Amino acid sequence: MKIKVFPEDFIVKELADIKYQKGGKYRIYLLTKKHWNTVDALKFISRENNIPMEVIGNAGRKDRHALTFQYISVPREYDPVFDRENVHLEFTGFSNDYISPRVLKGNYFEITLRKIDREEKEKIIQRLKEIKEWGFPNFFDDQRFGSVENEEEFIAEKILKKHYNGALKLYFTVTHPEDKKEERQRKQEIKNRWGDFEAILPLCRTKTEREIIEILKKGKSKENMVKALNIIPKEELSMFFSAYQSYLWNRTLSLILPSYVEDLFPVKGKITDYLIYRKVKDERKFKELKNLEVPTVSYKIPQTEELVRNAVMEVMKQRGVTPSDFNLKKIRKSFFKSFMRRAVVFPENLYFSGFEEDDFYRGYEKIKLKFVLPPGSFATMLVKSLSLL
């Protein structure tokens, strides 16, 4: 089974509660894109229209390997124009409210699954029925973890443990699957020379990299390293922190699920396996699981039931961190904020077409799925949940 063979195979449309008003303080735009991630698209819009990045409102990041439709906002005094191949900006009206996650009501998905063996058809139909009835685990999926390739590469964890040198080294040297050969070579060279910052300076490609290395040239004191970390743009730091929170949350859910469900199967993920279930133990457990919420970790963790709190504390113990570590006083640009997240998710209006011949993979079939998920839930986790075949 294949997913995202073409961007049009994975369509995402934001469902937003936007109250349009003729004299509103913000301009609202529909951003349509493929082959671009949201952050890069916003950076280009910001740069080419002289709009500060921090005033561009959006409700969330969307995958580059998809055809996506999402809303952005800018203060009324700006009038951005951006229309390139694979990226289009369309003005939709004015509003007194800017675009943020709070206006997002959910996401509508149309997903085409390809290269399905004819022998798998009945199993896929069965799994779709089970998901419709029992839901699926609301894990943060692989795309949440960016360039992190293993469990020891979390920059945020290094910062929490005050391993500032290790955090900075990761910032410069972690490779992304989409890095080209020359970029991988550059990062490897930096890794080989780490500590010799005079030699690293000519290898820097961005203003941020150069500023960090200039500070480190003055010495590897803790004070200098904290200054260097504070050079990293707020958006990047926020992504590092979010990735680590998501990882801890996933680990917590994996500890909790066996208390409620049966027939658990590991499905391989980028840095850890995801535990997918076939059914819930009984009706009482199902009701409990359906309403169960798990907090993300921060300095102040919301009150929750004992089973959940014990799982949260166990995961932190395994990683060698405590809640007080999340109270970052020296890293000024970003911080950890806790929020509650449902343990399982149920797709709304789940529709699946009949199977038909795959026009790309000859000899195989394809199927189209349509459904709505709440904000923050990953459609790719639904697809992973189908892979218990």
Side-chain angles (χ1 to χ4, degrees):
M1 184 169 64
K2 293 281 189 180
I3 186 176
K4 299 181 180 178
V5 177
F6 306 103
E8 292 77 9
D9 286 349
F10 201 96
I11 299 172
V12 189
K13 297 181 180 180
E14 282 187 348
L15 304 176
D17 182 18
I18 302 172
K19 296 177 173 60
Y20 289 102
Q21 290 182 286
K22 198 170 184 179
K25 296 186 293 185
Y26 298 93
R27 294 177 186 266
I28 310 298
Y29 295 83
L30 180 64
L31 173 64
T32 304
K33 65 177 184 61
K34 60 182 178 180
H35 302 305
W36 287 61
N37 65 45
T38 301
V39 173
D40 286 343
L42 296 184
K43 283 180 179 177
F44 272 83
I45 292 168
S46 167
R47 187 176 69 190
E48 296 201 358
N49 291 276
N50 294 315
I51 302 174
M53 184 76 170
E54 58 268 22
V55 305
I56 303 178
N58 71 94
R61 305 181 188 106
K62 296 291 185 288
D63 199 338
R64 74 166 65 238
H65 305 293
L67 174 59
T68 68
F69 301 81
Q70 64 185 116
Y71 293 95
I72 70 168
S73 64
V74 297
R76 188 186 181 98
E77 59 265 30
Y78 298 105
D79 188 10
V81 176
F82 196 81
D83 192 1
R84 293 191 173 194
E85 184 181 8
N86 300 324
V87 188
H88 177 66
L89 205 56
E90 179 187 353
F91 175 69
T92 60
F94 293 97
S95 175
N96 273 328
D97 198 7
Y98 58 89
I99 300 297
S100 70
R102 72 178 181 276
V103 305
L104 186 60
K105 299 303 179 184
N107 289 290
Y108 167 79
F109 296 89
E110 287 187 16
I111 298 176
T112 300
L113 303 179
R114 295 181 180 273
K115 204 178 183 182
I116 297 171
D117 192 300
R118 288 183 173 87
E119 296 177 357
E120 297 175 341
K121 290 163 57 176
E122 288 304 317
K123 294 177 182 178
I124 289 177
I125 295 298
Q126 178 61 31
R127 281 298 295 139
L128 285 168
K129 290 177 180 178
E130 290 170 355
I131 288 170
K132 196 170 185 178
E133 182 176 5
W134 303 109
F136 62 93
N138 198 21
F139 288 116
F140 294 96
D141 205 356
D142 293 346
Q143 54 267 44
R144 185 74 171 206
F145 305 115
S147 60
V148 178
E149 292 294 312
N150 65 66
E151 294 174 281
E152 304 308 316
E153 288 187 351
F154 283 102
I155 292 175
E157 186 172 85
K158 299 286 186 186
I159 293 173
L160 290 175
K161 293 179 177 180
K162 298 180 173 57
H163 297 169
Y164 300 136
N165 182 60
L168 288 163
K169 185 176 180 180
L170 282 176
Y171 179 73
F172 276 83
T173 62
V174 167
T175 58
H176 193 279
E178 295 177 356
D179 282 348
K180 294 181 179 178
K181 182 180 178 181
E182 62 179 38
E183 178 65 2
R184 290 176 178 273
Q185 290 174 340
R186 183 183 79 94
K187 290 179 177 179
Q188 184 60 49
E189 188 68 22
I190 292 174
K191 183 182 291 187
N192 294 340
R193 297 186 182 189
W194 190 257
D196 184 356
F197 300 114
E198 195 73 53
I200 289 174
L201 187 58
L203 297 171
C204 294
R205 288 189 171 173
T206 67
K207 181 172 180 277
T208 297
E209 288 183 348
R210 287 190 291 272
E211 288 181 1
I212 290 173
I213 295 302
E214 287 289 359
I215 291 173
L216 295 180
K217 279 171 57 182
K218 299 174 184 177
K220 289 172 59 177
S221 67
K222 183 175 288 188
E223 182 182 3
N224 281 344
M225 289 187 196
V226 170
K227 284 181 181 178
L229 285 168
N230 277 303
I231 295 295
I232 298 173
K234 179 179 179 180
E235 296 79 15
E236 289 187 78
L237 277 176
S238 295
M239 285 193 290
F240 298 149
F241 291 172
S242 294
Y244 188 58
Q245 276 189 314
S246 302
Y247 166 75
L248 296 178
W249 192 94
N250 282 0
R251 289 279 298 267
T252 302
L253 182 59
S254 292
L255 289 183
I256 293 169
L257 281 176
S259 299
Y260 294 93
V261 301
E262 296 177 342
D263 294 343
L264 278 162
F265 294 84
V267 173
K268 187 171 180 55
K270 181 180 179 182
I271 56 176
T272 59
D273 289 343
Y274 299 101
L275 289 180
I276 309 297
Y277 60 87
R278 297 291 299 269
K279 61 181 180 180
V280 178
K281 287 184 174 180
D282 54 49
E283 190 64 30
R284 181 177 65 84
K285 289 289 186 184
F286 176 60
K287 289 181 180 178
E288 291 177 3
L289 182 62
K290 193 174 182 179
N291 296 313
L292 186 67
E293 293 188 330
V294 179
T296 57
V297 177
S298 72
Y299 174 51
K300 294 183 179 180
I301 303 173
Q303 283 293 113
T304 185
E305 57 186 88
E306 187 177 3
L307 173 68
V308 173
R309 183 163 186 84
N310 287 344
V312 171
M313 299 308 292
E314 175 60 27
V315 168
M316 284 197 291
K317 181 180 177 182
Q318 291 172 1
R319 299 304 298 183
V321 295
T322 66
S324 62
D325 292 328
F326 289 77
N327 186 18
L328 296 174
K329 296 178 179 178
K330 295 183 177 180
I331 308 300
R332 301 185 303 273
K333 288 186 177 180
S334 196
F335 60 94
F336 291 92
K337 183 179 180 181
S338 185
F339 61 91
M340 303 299 290
R341 178 179 174 87
R342 288 192 176 275
V344 298
V345 65
F346 294 80
E348 296 179 21
N349 306 319
L350 177 58
Y351 162 85
F352 44 95
S353 67
F355 290 92
E356 57 183 279
E357 182 180 348
D358 192 327
D359 51 340
F360 187 75
Y361 293 102
R362 299 298 179 184
Y364 292 90
E365 298 194 26
K366 66 179 182 179
I367 187 174
K368 177 173 283 191
L369 311 179
K370 298 179 182 181
F371 53 91
V372 173
L373 291 181
S377 295
F378 290 77
T380 46
M381 281 309 308
L382 186 151
V383 176
K384 278 186 170 68
S385 299
L386 292 177
S387 60
L388 309 181
L389 305 174

